[in-house]
Amino acid sequence: MEPIDILIAGSGIACTTTVIALFRKLIHSPAQQTISISIIEKHHEFWTGIPYGNRSSVNALTITSIADFFTDEKERELFFEWFKLNQQELLTGYLVNGGLTASEWLQRNKIAIDNEDWKSVYLPRFMFGRYLNEILKGLLKIVEDRKLVKLTLINAEVINAAPVNDQYEITLEYQDKTQSKLVVRKLVIATGSAPVINITVDDNVTLINNLYEPTVNDNITKLKTALASVTNAANRNVLLVGSNASSIEFLYLLAGLPHITGLINKLVVVSKSGLLPYHILDKELAHYPTESLDQLKENGGYDIKTLVAAAMQDINEAVKDGVIIPHIDRIISYTFELMAPLGEEARKKFIGIYGMQLSNLFRRSGADYKGGEAVLHQTQKLTLLKGAFVNVESGFLNYTDPPTGEQNKYDTPFKVVINCTGANDLDKSSSRLIYSLVHNGIAKVNLSGKGFYVNENFEAAPNLYIMGPLLGGNMNSRIHFWHLENASRLIYLAPFLAGCLLQDFF
Ligand SMILES: Cc1cc2nc3c(=O)[nH]c(=O)nc-3n(C[C@H](O)[C@H](O)[C@H](O)COP(=O)(O)OP(=O)(O)OC[C@H]3O[C@@H](n4cnc5c(N)ncnc54)[C@H](O)[C@@H]3O)c2cc1C
């Protein structure tokens, strides 16, 4: 059988933006031959990934304002052109499907939308998913009509990739557990962030180990059923492990579901910081204080560790009342300025290790999500607990106190545990594909532990390309980000990857 020219594992926006860029390049090229492209997706829905399709709630909003969702001016303009054209239908449909949360969201955001004040609007994410789908389908028709592409979509999980000469033999597993193999010339791994660290609990506790699997709505139903089955209302306690973007998103969704929050007795969020993401403050200041970095510069004689410590102090000061993005930008760019004399190795360590630690200090959220958190605080059911999760035994949470490391037991037993922890290290990944790439020595894990080393052509090995969050922690002339959990960066990188993938075809 002829090998497939390009195969992409995973069909989230890392894949979709790449395919759009591939099609755009092909349409404007002198290409005559047909390129075969296969997309393999383990979920039944293609092109939207976890955040922008049915696995998320229709009420889930963009993490950043919709203006900041795009860094590329052209891409931003194209989106708003489409949005304005479809606004009426999108908003009407949203009100039908989104219930109370949608109507309240529209009430809060109507004036900003009418005024096109996009810096203050956090749009329901499905709208971006719909946009990408329409762009893709329009381009697909052109490339298929001109016989430039033969596209095949396969609903299966890629579980292994083995190099054979300069190609890859990949193994697919279908829902009925049968398997098959394909040979591909160029393989792109676009499987999203590595799976979260698994949590296990006793049989009498309901565990939601992945909020988006199979879908958030299914998990909300699971939560409701579990709570309703507990006869003593005082025992209807829910533990959320981790306080990242998905935790605050879940709290926002719950705030719009009073029939479920009404069932909950206590909702505890345990995390190392004991804090949920901060408010984003849409303002600029005349001066952005950076006292610790100033002091460090004046004293001189610093190394990467003391530089990072000073940047952390300045960030902690800066976020006391909420996150002012230009202030954070100033601290980060100043940190890079001061890093320059420390050389290439220090920069690599920063991108691989410390950048993510700094980012964790200014995790942020828009006003809608913070409003959801406030609603839950008003019910007096929400507790933010500072502690590192250890386990849940007989329904009781064991956690360590972050500064002392002392282990404690939380005094309330839990009936439901929801895992909102971050991605696990790749060498321990529960993804069979990632595990096999690492342990068969095919791709090397970078300093971050959560991403693969790649060259400036996105290659972890010859003809093995990485796209999406698994690129985080790399530093080369093109890819230099400590995290790529970020749509605007993926939109930015996609045309470069498309260029690399097409290189050998013309
Ligand atoms: C809930 C959520 C909300 C987010 N919101 C925002 C936001 O508002 N703004 C922003 O900039 N970023 C956001 N992000 C960050 C996000 O990581 C990126 O925006 C982007 O969605 C990443 O796209 P992706 O295609 O790499 O990953 P994903 O969306 O995770 O898609 C990967 C796809 O690969 C499939 N897959 C995984 N393994 C396999 C396999 N072995 N075989 C076949 N298929 C496989 C998965 O089913 C999935 O569909 C959010 C992330 C999440 C999880």
Side-chain angles (χ1 to χ4, degrees):
M1 202 171 109
E2 257 301 282
I4 294 155
D5 291 324
I6 298 171
L7 183 141
I8 306 184
S11 173
I13 66 155
C15 162
T16 312
T17 52
T18 303
V19 174
I20 288 174
L22 275 171
F23 289 176
R24 284 179 177 155
K25 280 190 194 295
L26 283 170
I27 290 167
H28 294 107
S29 76
Q32 299 292 329
Q33 82 218 66
T34 307
I35 294 181
S36 57
I37 301 178
S38 289
I39 313 291
I40 318 292
E41 169 57 57
K42 64 179 181 176
H43 189 72
H44 57 80
E45 193 183 26
F46 280 75
W47 309 121
T48 51
I50 293 171
Y52 311 97
N54 290 336
R55 274 173 283 182
S56 284
S57 162
V58 72
N59 287 312
L61 306 177
T62 51
I63 296 174
T64 55
S65 75
I66 191 64
D68 293 333
F69 201 81
F70 304 89
T71 37
D72 184 303
E73 202 53 54
K74 179 106 184 39
E75 293 293 343
R76 186 185 292 129
E77 265 173 36
L78 285 173
F79 174 78
F80 284 117
E81 233 171 71
W82 172 88
F83 179 76
K84 283 185 246 167
L85 206 66
N86 295 283
Q87 180 172 334
Q88 197 57 43
E89 189 227 313
L90 284 168
L91 294 178
T92 314
Y94 177 42
L95 286 178
V96 172
N97 297 319
L100 175 69
T101 307
S103 54
E104 290 185 348
W105 176 85
L106 193 58
Q107 257 173 35
R108 282 193 305 271
N109 289 279
K110 174 100 179 56
I111 295 174
I113 293 173
D114 288 346
N115 293 338
E116 298 185 14
D117 173 14
W118 305 123
K119 274 268 178 207
S120 9
V121 179
Y122 294 66
L123 269 192
R125 287 200 301 264
F126 78 88
M127 296 184 185
F128 177 68
R130 177 93 58 86
Y131 165 73
L132 274 193
N133 249 284
E134 286 189 18
I135 299 290
L136 182 114
K137 304 249 159 82
L139 293 169
L140 177 61
K141 173 141 184 23
I142 302 173
V143 291
E144 284 188 336
D145 285 353
R146 287 173 49 187
K147 299 207 177 352
L148 294 171
V149 166
K150 181 174 179 300
L151 181 73
T152 310
L153 305 184
I154 302 175
N155 189 199
E157 180 177 349
V158 179
I159 58 168
N160 193 44
V164 182
N165 303 320
D166 270 350
Q167 304 182 339
Y168 286 85
E169 183 187 69
I170 67 149
T171 310
L172 305 184
E173 187 177 280
Y174 302 88
Q175 261 166 9
D176 62 4
K177 301 288 171 208
T178 57
Q179 296 188 355
S180 72
K181 291 188 191 295
L182 291 172
V183 176
V184 306
R185 290 203 166 93
K186 294 185 178 228
L187 170 62
V188 183
I189 308 291
T191 51
S193 305
V196 295
I197 301 157
N198 277 333
I199 288 178
T200 49
V201 295
D202 328 284
D203 287 348
N204 58 346
V205 175
T206 300
L207 174 68
I208 296 174
N209 204 33
N210 181 343
L211 204 45
Y212 302 94
E213 207 53 64
T215 71
V216 162
N217 288 345
D218 287 320
N219 283 320
I220 288 175
T221 307
K222 187 172 173 182
L223 168 67
K224 185 175 158 219
T225 311
L227 291 173
S229 72
V230 180
T231 37
N232 183 351
N235 287 336
R236 292 184 192 142
N237 302 314
V238 179
L239 175 68
L240 210 60
V241 185
S243 63
N244 56 20
S246 49
S247 318
I248 197 162
E249 175 161 309
F250 190 61
L251 297 184
Y252 171 71
L253 299 176
L254 278 185
L257 300 169
H259 63 293
I260 296 189
T261 45
L263 284 174
I264 296 175
N265 175 55
K266 213 170 180 186
L267 174 59
V268 177
V269 182
V270 61
S271 68
K272 285 184 198 151
S273 67
L275 298 168
L276 285 161
Y278 295 102
H279 262 294
I280 296 182
L281 298 175
D282 185 16
K283 64 177 182 183
E284 293 186 10
L285 305 177
H287 170 65
Y288 297 112
T290 49
E291 268 177 35
S292 301
L293 288 171
D294 293 340
Q295 192 67 56
L296 193 84
K297 184 177 178 184
E298 204 179 305
N299 295 346
Y302 55 86
D303 61 17
I304 186 67
K305 282 198 173 155
T306 46
L307 174 61
V308 169
M312 282 182 162
Q313 274 176 21
D314 283 339
I315 290 172
N316 281 331
E317 278 300 313
V319 298
K320 276 196 169 138
D321 301 317
V323 174
I324 299 172
I325 291 173
H327 195 170
I328 298 296
D329 288 348
R330 169 68 195 130
I331 295 170
I332 300 290
S333 62
Y334 193 14
T335 306
F336 271 99
E337 254 171 73
L338 297 182
M339 209 184 311
L342 300 181
E344 188 76 353
E345 272 313 299
R347 225 172 114 86
K348 278 191 176 152
K349 273 194 184 153
F350 187 81
I351 299 277
I353 304 168
Y354 300 117
M356 204 56 219
Q357 294 175 4
L358 294 192
S359 278
N360 285 336
L361 301 179
F362 55 87
R363 289 173 308 124
R364 54 211 196 258
S365 230
D368 298 292
Y369 275 16
K370 291 305 279 183
E373 180 193 337
V375 167
L376 291 182
H377 275 302
Q378 276 161 21
T379 64
Q380 309 215 324
K381 295 181 177 188
L382 180 63
T383 303
L384 303 182
L385 173 68
K386 186 168 177 164
F389 176 85
V390 176
N391 61 16
V392 172
E393 271 178 335
S394 309
F396 285 91
L397 163 71
N398 293 312
Y399 65 98
T400 54
D401 185 42
T404 62
E406 188 189 317
Q407 185 159 325
N408 296 312
K409 182 181 244 182
Y410 196 69
D411 59 6
T412 308
F414 292 100
K415 276 292 163 197
V416 182
V417 175
I418 304 173
N419 184 359
C420 287
T421 55
N424 204 353
D425 286 344
L426 301 192
D427 60 347
K428 303 185 193 87
S429 186
S430 60
S431 154
R432 286 174 285 177
L433 174 62
I434 293 175
Y435 194 89
S436 75
L437 289 173
V438 176
H439 292 280
N440 294 334
I442 297 164
K444 210 170 147 223
V445 180
N446 66 32
L447 282 178
S448 73
K450 321 273 181 203
F452 287 116
Y453 271 111
V454 294
N455 62 19
E456 60 282 6
N457 296 328
F458 299 78
E459 279 173 306
N463 292 326
L464 174 67
Y465 300 79
I466 307 290
M467 180 54 165
L470 296 179
L471 283 176
N474 275 291
M475 200 192 89
N476 59 50
S477 58
R478 187 175 282 146
I479 304 154
H480 37 77
F481 303 107
W482 55 84
H483 81 91
L484 271 132
E485 301 267 344
N486 181 308
S488 71
R489 287 182 183 163
L490 298 179
I491 296 169
Y492 160 77
L493 285 174
F496 294 110
L497 173 58
C500 297
L501 291 172
L502 290 179
Q503 225 163 40
D504 302 336
F505 294 104
F506 309 117

